[in-house]
Amino acid sequence: MSTTVSNNTTLALNVSAPTFELVDIYGRTTNLESYRGKRVFIGFFRHAGCPFCNLRVHALQKEYEDLKAKNLEMIFFFESKERILLSSTFHQEISPIPLISDPEKIWYQTYGIESSAAKSAKSHLTSFIQTAIKAKLKGLPMHPMADGESINTMPAEFLLDEELIIRKIHYTKGLNDRMSMAHIYDFAEAGEVVN
């Protein structure tokens, strides 16, 4: 089974994930190969001021310690430049989860992250106000896009097994469409993917 996205990149399930060795915004080297023996959640998010993404990151952060105890690690990518992420207290506090800035979207392209004006517009029209209110109530950052960020980026999430094989790919259909937390827990606990 494979998943195709609009930028013509195809990633297949049950194959090795593209590996990387990158420096996160905290100055630490993150080498995917070093995660062998653990299960891994990789999340690709939009820009630093996106309430949809910041709510998701907030929810994942709350589960981090519990999931780590079950042998699942997390790695987050944002399209924002490092200086923008570091100017946000919220994003500074994502550590110890690696947070990688990829403004050139090299790894977004490698992992087949979609750019869709139509899907982004639909999400903004149907759920932006409610999402923005939720983000504001939780004190999460929400601001217009900055240098080089795109309103059309669609988030995506991946689950890798202990051999760094892709076991689940979730390209979002809308900005509030994310992998179920129950599926992430099932994978963390048993290494099984529930569809």
Side-chain angles (χ1 to χ4, degrees), residues 51-52 55 127-137 140 142:
F52 299 95
L55 276 168
S127 56
F128 179 79
I129 292 172
Q130 305 93 304
T131 303
I133 290 169
K134 286 181 192 172
K136 187 171 181 61
L137 289 172
L140 302 178
M142 182 177 55

Side-chain angles (χ1 to χ4, degrees), residues 113-190:
I113 308 309
E114 183 178 14
S115 178
S116 173
K119 290 180 183 177
S120 176
K122 182 177 179 183
S123 293
H124 280 87
L125 287 170
T126 59
S127 56
F128 179 79
I129 292 172
Q130 305 93 304
T131 303
I133 290 169
K134 286 181 192 172
K136 187 171 181 61
L137 289 172
K138 292 183 183 296
L140 302 178
M142 182 177 55
H143 51 76
M145 291 170 301
D147 185 18
E149 297 168 345
S150 171
I151 197 167
N152 299 331
T153 302
M154 299 303 294
E157 299 176 344
F158 301 81
L159 290 175
L160 316 182
D161 70 12
E162 294 90 339
E163 297 301 319
L164 307 181
I165 304 297
I166 301 171
R167 296 302 184 193
K168 186 168 183 66
I169 301 171
H170 187 84
Y171 291 109
T172 60
K173 296 179 178 68
L175 297 179
N176 276 327
D177 172 33
R178 306 299 167 106
M179 199 180 287
S180 133
M181 200 66 81
H183 288 178
I184 296 171
Y185 265 91
D186 287 343
F187 186 73
E189 289 168 354

